[in-house]
Amino acid sequence: MGRGLVAKGILARLLPWFKYGGQDYTYHGIVPHYCNVDMDWGALPPRPAGAQELLQVQVFVRHGARTQEGSDTCWDGDEVGHFSCSPQGGDASHVESGACPGQLAASGYEQEVNNGKRLREAYVLREGLVPSEFGRAGDAIVVRSTDKERTRQSAVAVMSGMFDDFSSGGFPFDAGLGFLETRSMQEENMVMNYGMCPASSWKAVAHFDRMPSRSARDMQAVCKRFAPKKEMTNKDCAWWLTHLMDCLMSRMCPTVPFTPRNATVPHEFFDNDDEVFRKVWQILDEVALGYFQEMVSTGAMSSLVGEILGFAERAVDGAHDAPKFLLYSGHDTGPMEPLSVAFGLREEPPYWPAFASMMALEVWHSDDGPVARWIVDGKVAAAGAMPFEDFHDRATEIKSYAPRCYDEELSAHAVALAPSWFKEGVPMLGSRAGAVPLALLAVVGLALLSVRARLVGARSARTVAARDSRAIELCSSADAAAPFSTNGQV
């Protein structure tokens, strides 16, 4: 009875009216899209007005529908039900068994095959950008994936739908194929990588420390409601909410092989017209949006955007070795939402990318010169077709943020974070009082790193990051990582 009164009190503070695309932010407005229940985003739009020739397409996909990734407790009674684990066969009575966490579902594979079929219709058959047989394409095609089984399998599925002669050998299968480029997670620039951009670690912690009081209060209220035994900072709470959302959607999505669907989700989420469910979505969506905006401005996406821009420039310049089609297979937390935020591709919530979400950057030759256009989930993005110069200017701006990963502001960030260390304590030194020497150490250490970064000059940021990431780790809190990073792929 007491818990019920507390919950009602929290709900009264949590639930301002919220609109989704001009309509109520409802279960039926969220679940079908996020889960990708139609399994297909539809035909890609025709060429823009005045376009004469398609020069290049760079495609970005989130992996298809998958089982729950995290193994932390969701709520009391979450052991009820089971996931069907297609890639390894058999079932898992509970995700904590470790039998199939984060594995691509058969439906997720099908979603990506359908993405490939749509790409085939538009870019192989209609525009003739690349041959219909993968084996004849040569260097015209580049395929990249993060080094996760579900993203490798998703890339293979896209290619299977796109090319006549491409066979994955069925599903399940081993996606470790030679045509697929992967990088170690320490070098992967499709995701938030604190090793490659050290300043992003400090900026992430500062971002959550400085959240507006109302946003922090609402977020903490949800965390305390569903994880009352945990003491969480804002950063910890944001991470835990991503886990809670994973728990919810992996049990609610018709495209995820969980039985019995919805029945094991606590009724509190569905009471009063799904109020808590809608509010959790709103809070996490807004928190993630703000976080990725901060990371883009810090330089965390500069490396990837620099690569994207480089490929596009070569296509516009007519370089004979410029690839015609590039596929990047990753996660909602990278490259999907960071790129969407960087280029302003989604104007209305929800901003969180769906299963098998697909974005395409097209580069065309037109009557008025080169043109760029973004496609998001089968529709032209809000900006529409634009002069290539406009895309070039924005991409160049984002690329120019790269030095911020090592600039002198790191020291100022360390000072600004001292109140957080006093509040959270520093396990590395064993007491809350230890925050004082640690803060001083961080300021000095980061100042030295800033000087060193300036001295290395032309040395690549990646090399510097690899050598300096350990130093930053030592002079920062042992719990400095934030959500949505390389440790939080969903």
Side-chain angles (χ1 to χ4, degrees):
M1 180 175 179
R3 290 179 60 187
L5 291 175
V6 171
K8 289 182 179 179
I10 293 173
L11 289 176
R13 297 192 301 271
L14 279 179
L15 301 171
W17 191 254
F18 184 75
K19 296 289 185 179
Y20 161 49
Q23 301 178 4
D24 292 352
Y25 197 58
T26 63
Y27 175 97
H28 296 291
I30 299 168
V31 173
H33 177 81
Y34 177 86
C35 304
N36 193 356
V37 296
D38 290 336
M39 308 289 288
D40 181 11
W41 300 116
L44 298 179
R47 60 172 59 181
Q52 297 176 351
E53 179 187 3
L54 181 61
L55 302 178
Q56 185 184 79
V57 177
Q58 299 188 52
V59 175
F60 309 85
V61 296
R62 182 192 178 187
H63 56 75
R66 57 147 177 80
T67 59
Q68 180 185 320
E69 168 73 0
S71 59
D72 196 7
T73 300
C74 297
W75 46 68
D76 290 342
D78 67 349
E79 70 278 2
V80 177
H82 65 274
F83 292 91
S84 297
C85 306
S86 300
Q88 294 184 1
D91 292 341
S93 60
H94 184 34
V95 72
E96 289 186 357
S97 68
C100 62
Q103 289 189 1
L104 189 71
S107 56
Y109 180 80
E110 183 180 349
Q111 290 167 341
E112 299 292 7
V113 170
N114 290 337
N115 277 342
K117 290 178 179 178
R118 293 303 185 181
L119 295 171
R120 173 186 174 86
E121 290 174 0
Y123 303 133
V124 176
L125 302 181
R126 186 175 73 204
E127 299 297 340
L129 180 68
V130 291
S132 60
E133 295 179 355
F134 179 78
R136 295 195 295 115
D139 294 336
I141 297 176
V142 174
V143 185
R144 268 194 63 190
S145 171
T146 61
D147 196 17
K148 297 284 186 178
E149 189 69 12
R150 60 182 176 273
T151 54
R152 296 195 299 267
Q153 290 178 338
S154 292
V156 171
V158 171
M159 304 300 280
S160 297
M162 192 171 177
F163 295 102
D164 290 336
D165 60 342
F166 196 96
S167 175
S168 66
F171 183 81
F173 60 90
D174 178 6
L177 304 178
F179 75 93
L180 197 59
E181 178 191 343
T182 60
R183 302 176 184 178
S184 70
M185 294 307 288
Q186 290 72 32
E187 296 179 320
E188 182 55 75
N189 64 1
M190 279 198 275
V191 296
M192 300 297 100
N193 191 331
Y194 299 153
M196 294 185 66
C197 184
S200 64
S201 177
W202 297 101
K203 290 285 283 186
V205 180
H207 171 74
F208 288 104
D209 274 2
R210 298 169 182 168
M211 284 181 66
S213 57
R214 180 175 178 178
S215 298
R217 184 173 63 249
D218 288 354
M219 183 176 70
Q220 287 282 356
V222 174
C223 288
K224 290 177 182 177
R225 167 66 183 88
F226 292 100
K229 297 180 181 180
K230 294 178 179 287
E231 289 293 332
M232 302 189 199
T233 63
N234 289 342
K235 168 182 62 64
D236 296 332
C237 181
W239 179 90
W240 191 83
L241 281 181
T242 65
H243 169 67
L244 178 62
M245 185 64 69
D246 186 16
C247 294
L248 288 168
M249 302 314 294
S250 61
R251 288 161 173 77
M252 296 167 68
C253 280
T255 51
V256 175
F258 181 81
T259 305
R261 188 170 67 86
N262 273 1
T264 63
V265 177
H267 65 84
E268 291 93 334
F269 288 99
F270 302 131
D271 289 344
N272 301 316
D273 192 26
D274 312 313
E275 285 180 329
V276 174
F277 172 72
R278 291 188 289 120
K279 188 59 187 181
V280 169
W281 253 93
Q282 176 191 353
I283 291 173
L284 185 57
D285 212 29
E286 293 175 350
V287 167
L289 177 66
Y291 168 79
F292 288 122
Q293 289 171 338
E294 187 79 27
M295 292 298 97
V296 169
S297 68
T298 300
M301 292 302 292
S302 298
S303 174
L304 176 62
V305 171
E307 288 186 19
I308 294 168
L309 175 61
F311 283 123
E313 287 177 324
R314 287 165 58 193
V316 169
D317 292 343
H320 72 277
D321 60 345
K324 298 287 188 179
F325 177 86
L326 300 97
L327 174 67
Y328 303 77
S329 180
H331 309 264
D332 46 3
T333 53
M336 303 305 289
E337 186 160 2
L339 283 182
S340 178
V341 167
F343 290 98
L345 303 184
R346 296 180 188 270
E347 290 189 324
E348 293 184 337
Y351 306 103
W352 203 276
F355 284 140
S357 181
M358 180 169 67
M359 304 189 305
L361 171 64
E362 303 173 339
V363 179
W364 299 82
H365 174 66
S366 77
D367 298 334
D368 299 319
V371 169
R373 182 175 71 169
W374 284 97
I375 308 295
V376 179
D377 294 342
K379 297 180 176 59
V380 178
M386 68 189 81
F388 182 78
E389 182 179 359
D390 291 354
F391 163 77
H392 181 277
D393 289 348
R394 176 55 181 159
T396 300
E397 179 185 3
I398 298 168
K399 180 183 175 182
S400 73
Y401 298 156
R404 299 179 183 180
C405 287
Y406 289 90
D407 67 19
E408 66 276 4
E409 294 179 11
L410 279 168
S411 298
H413 295 161
V415 173
L417 287 172
S420 171
W421 293 346
F422 276 103
K423 176 180 66 177
E424 298 180 31
V426 185
M428 188 170 70
L429 297 185
S431 69
R432 293 176 183 266
V436 177
L438 183 58
L440 294 175
L441 175 62
V443 172
V444 174
L446 290 172
L448 291 174
L449 287 180
S450 178
V451 173
R452 179 170 181 256
R454 290 179 178 276
L455 292 176
V456 297
R459 188 178 301 171
S460 70
R462 181 177 299 169
T463 301
V464 178
R467 294 183 179 181
D468 288 348
S469 60
R470 178 56 181 163
I472 288 178
E473 178 184 351
L474 290 174
C475 69
S476 63
S477 165
D479 191 29
F484 323 118
S485 68
T486 52
N487 294 323
Q489 302 307 313
V490 292

